[in-house]
Amino acid sequence: MSIVASLIGPVTGLLDKFVEDKDQKAKLAHEISTLSDKYAQELALAQVALNTAEAKGNWFQSGWRPATGWVCVLALGVNYLVSPLAAGIGIDIPQADGGTLMPILMGMLGLGGMRSFEKTKQIEGK
């Protein structure tokens, strides 16, 4: 619970002591009770604006996901293709740690899968 939400009840209770007009009191109570929602909406809109600005960034900012994907693909290629083939001819090639590699790859594949699901349901950007 936010600080604003925790203050709404006591502040609305004080209106009975200081405001005598019932219409004015009801109007002020409504404004105070919606204050938390307005604040949350402003925060959400600020986050959307920040996300939009970050999405318009340069290649280095927007290209980290594909770069991470390619690093994972190269590491898997070395682990499961190059290293075993090289071991067959007597060359020892060190392998990447799969315990570190797999959570990164599975997380990226999961996010990609959710993005594909959004596109098939035509709910992207909502």
Side-chain angles (χ1 to χ4, degrees):
M1 178 184 285
S2 72
I3 295 174
V4 175
S6 64
L7 291 175
I8 289 175
V11 170
T12 359
L14 289 175
L15 290 177
D16 293 330
K17 295 180 181 179
F18 297 105
V19 179
E20 294 182 18
D21 183 18
K22 290 188 178 203
D23 292 334
Q24 181 69 18
K25 191 185 315 180
K27 182 180 176 185
L28 288 172
H30 175 71
E31 288 180 15
I32 291 170
S33 66
T34 58
L35 186 63
S36 178
D37 293 334
K38 289 177 185 176
Y39 178 71
Q41 184 180 13
E42 288 174 7
L43 282 178
L45 290 174
Q47 185 63 50
V48 167
L50 179 64
N51 291 349
T52 303
E54 284 182 352
K56 293 179 182 177
N58 60 25
W59 179 88
F60 186 74
Q61 290 172 330
S62 62
W64 71 269
R65 285 184 186 99
T68 306
W70 282 112
V71 166
C72 289
V73 167
L74 288 173
L76 286 172
V78 168
N79 280 3
Y80 297 107
L81 186 64
V82 175
S83 183
L85 289 174
I89 58 172
I91 301 173
D92 186 29
I93 297 179
Q95 295 186 349
D97 179 24
T100 305
L101 181 66
M102 285 303 177
I104 295 170
L105 185 61
M106 291 302 141
M108 287 180 57
L109 290 174
L111 291 174
M114 289 305 295
R115 178 74 175 130
S116 298
F117 177 76
E118 284 181 345
K119 283 185 175 186
T120 59
K121 296 293 182 181
Q122 298 177 347
I123 56 173
E124 52 188 308
K126 291 184 180 178

